[in-house]
Amino acid sequence: MTKKLLIPFLFVMPLSAPAAPGLSGELAVDESVPTPAEVLGFEPGERHPRHDQIVHYLRLLADSSDRVLLEEIGRSHGQRPQLLLTFATPERLARIDEIRDGRREAARSGEGPPVIWMGYAVHGNEASGASAALVMAWYLAAGQDERVKRWLDEMILVMEPAINPDGIDRFAHWVNMHRGYHPSADPNDREHEEGWPDGRTNYYWFDLNRDWLPVVHPVSQNRLRHYHRWRPHVITDHHEMGRNSTFFFQPGIPERANPLISEDNQALTGAIAEFHGRELDAAGEPFYARESFDDFYIGKGSTYPDVTGGIGILFEQSSSRGMVQESDYGLKRFPETVANQVRTSVSTLDGALAHADEIVAYQRDFFDRTRQRADDWDQSGWLLGDGGDPARAHALVDMLLNHGVTIHPAEESVEIAGETHAPGSAWVIPADQDAYLLLESIFEAVTEMDVETFYDVSAWPMAMAHDLPLATTRRLPSVGEPLSEVPVHSPPAVDEAALAWLVPWNQYRADALLADLLDDGYRVQVATEPMTAKTAGGERSLGRGSLVVHSGIQPEGLDPVGPRLADLSKQHGVDVHAAEQGMAVSGVDLGSPSVPVLEPVSAAVLTGHGVSAYAAGAVWHWFDTRLAQPVAQLDAIRLRRGDLEAHTHLIVPPGWYSALGDSARDAIAGFVEDGGTVVAFGAAAEMIESLELGWDLVEEDGEEEDAGPERKTYGDYRQDYARELIGGTALRIDIDRTHPLAWGYADEDLVLFRQGAHRLKPVDNPYAQIGVYAGDPLAAGYLSATNREALAGTPAVSVSRHGAGTVVRIADEPLFRGYWRGGEKLFANALFFSQLVSSTRLPQYE
């Protein structure tokens, strides 16, 4: 492949590597098509390419070949291009728009050609995939052998060469920065031990391979838009795993497949797997196919296709995590890992071509069976209500539209969960549609399962996640035309000259409006008791947490607050009501001591070694993209007391805090004693409970057993261990809506998401436990009988005073993966309203 370099100088390590990793024998190629080495200055596998280098090469490749269509389908959070390549014969590429536009009907009727979608490097530090994509792209564009010609003649090949642009760059920078001319194979070498947060995740430290379902991030949204246009038959998902392993390809553990995935799907996956096995056997590479990984959570790249009409295939290559690394199986070298990803890309295309008629027929039958399953259901669809909060409902509607779901606005009033929803506040989702299996998966709250072990989460109940009312219906009401875009809530015009303005706190973006006002320097009050106020639109009842912006108390020197409120109302889609008088019709008046002025907040979040990058990233993402405010990222290990002086709140995400030194612990404790607020969620609560804060914790009574534990079979250990894990489950919580942390919620029943078996220690104060797990806490997913019993009635959210400050402990993750929008209100309340939590000690008499 190597020709004269197009780059005059580039550091190239003198390492022997195959000219085209994974492609054996002499290759007949079109020499006018540039090789990766001609453009990059190094062979794939000799160095880790940056994302801009990948993009540069692929653009030149597309310019030089009439077999390639390159599209920039969007940008990542880091503003890096997201590319999609289509490979086909020139004649077919000339008609590609026509073919793609016809794929919806072709998929239903069983017409070809087969469409194969190849995805690489969703995890940025699983780097062999991105380099393998360069080899495959070159081979498909330049190859002149009969194998390539048949692929292009009889199939359409779609490639996403770099799914995670931001993570790829972060990892490439790390490895290239630390490698030498003679790289170390020591697993403890700095090259193999990435700095926090490492390159696996995206810009905000999210795992993009969990985002196929929630589609929080732009690269996922961009991909799905094209995925559903193409409706591919086979989808590959190339990953890496730990160094002490070999190579894995699906079908995976059959007993742990999602029950919605058909046996036909598994059979075809197994048939294509025979080709992987032969290709790897020919190269002398060990592998396995029926252990470790499952097909249960449908939000992964290899499982989502299985419930949307395709056949998803996961590949896991043991990783060199750099250039070379020691392992139980010998040295893992980067060029060899690239070669295996190329080999299984080739075997996928060979297998798909050999089974072309079967995979095309499978897709036709899939949609037939899906429609039949919907027809056999005793309901006709679902009714979704906005719960009095259009913006939060629109977020779920947006997610559904990203998945190609047919959804209609209701044109008559409907009853959902005992509440009447008028037209404009409810939507109808018919069961009779191609996406029925997907809808069944995300809307049906399953609590009884045959499976007890999960590679990822066991539940993803989207209506619960958004805290929205949902009901099935036997009769579809009258509906409008299907939505093609997300509805936009247009608040009524704001009277800019009013005496005062009222903002109901139950609105999804009210927190962003409040943050902007406080940041501007305006004074904002909050109602700590209910009121009924006289407004321009008539009498209006307002619950606890409603904001009051009074024109008479604003600081001098600021612009009038009325016009600013009008702008913010439009910007955030938040209703703002003009109050006609300061005296309430009932309840507290606008100038009451029960409507105090809020102090501005300044938040920091712990990051760095020992902190869960996923959870910290969710916090950063929420501040940056939802609240539109900065949050200071403080390194946990280096934390000192002075670092916190500028902040009112410290957010402590879950993590592993055993390495946290005394200085950092003392800094956090001192911050609270001096008046700061700590918000700890997930397992981080355990660390906070260990601080010297004068805790008055209720210790559990432990009765020692006279005899030792009951004998168990050694071979059952792994299954028993997995059974008691809480890998990802939706749990029901009873909340006290009179408490500031629960203001804005419509009822006492809230569902949050839990990972981990930790439990909050109760404090000896009956007013501190503002949220407790329900008597039967399981809302959706898997929870062992032991954990159900252990969690029932225990604290889920606790707020306690220590010195001049406050500690908020939340057992679950309120911002889970960026889509648990029903938990965002709880988190915002902890940020803005924790300052209102007073001491709740009753008088003590001796």
Side-chain angles (χ1 to χ4, degrees), residues 116 234 236 272 276 313 315 344-353:
I116 314 302
V234 176
T236 65
I272 296 173
H276 310 322
I313 303 176
F315 298 104
T344 47
S345 299
V346 167
S347 60
T348 297
L349 299 182
D350 283 346
L353 184 59

Side-chain angles (χ1 to χ4, degrees), residues 452-459 720-731 752-759 773 777-778 780-792 794 811-813 816-817:
E452 296 178 331
T453 304
F454 305 87
Y455 182 76
D456 197 68
V457 299
S458 64
D720 291 345
Y721 178 83
R723 183 182 300 113
E724 299 308 322
L725 285 176
I726 306 178
T729 305
L731 300 182
L752 292 180
F753 202 81
R754 163 177 278 258
Q755 289 185 307
H758 55 276
R759 285 189 284 159
Y773 290 110
L778 182 59
Y782 172 77
L783 190 67
S784 72
T786 302
N787 282 320
R788 285 197 197 195
E789 182 178 352
L791 288 173
T794 64
D812 306 309
E813 295 192 38
F816 182 70
R817 290 182 178 170

Side-chain angles (χ1 to χ4, degrees), residues 380-455:
S380 296
W382 295 268
L383 304 176
L384 174 67
D386 71 4
D389 186 359
R392 187 156 32 89
H394 292 168
L396 179 53
V397 170
D398 185 33
M399 191 207 82
L400 295 174
L401 291 177
N402 271 296
H403 292 294
V405 171
T406 300
I407 179 168
H408 302 263
E411 291 199 333
E412 63 179 272
S413 294
V414 295
E415 185 171 303
I416 308 172
E419 297 288 336
T420 299
H421 287 72
S425 66
W427 296 270
V428 179
I429 307 164
D432 184 19
Q433 59 176 294
D434 291 346
Y436 172 74
L437 274 191
L438 179 76
L439 292 168
E440 181 180 344
S441 176
I442 67 177
F443 283 159
E444 297 304 298
V446 178
T447 56
E448 299 296 330
M449 298 181 175
D450 296 330
V451 181
E452 296 178 331
T453 304
F454 305 87
Y455 182 76

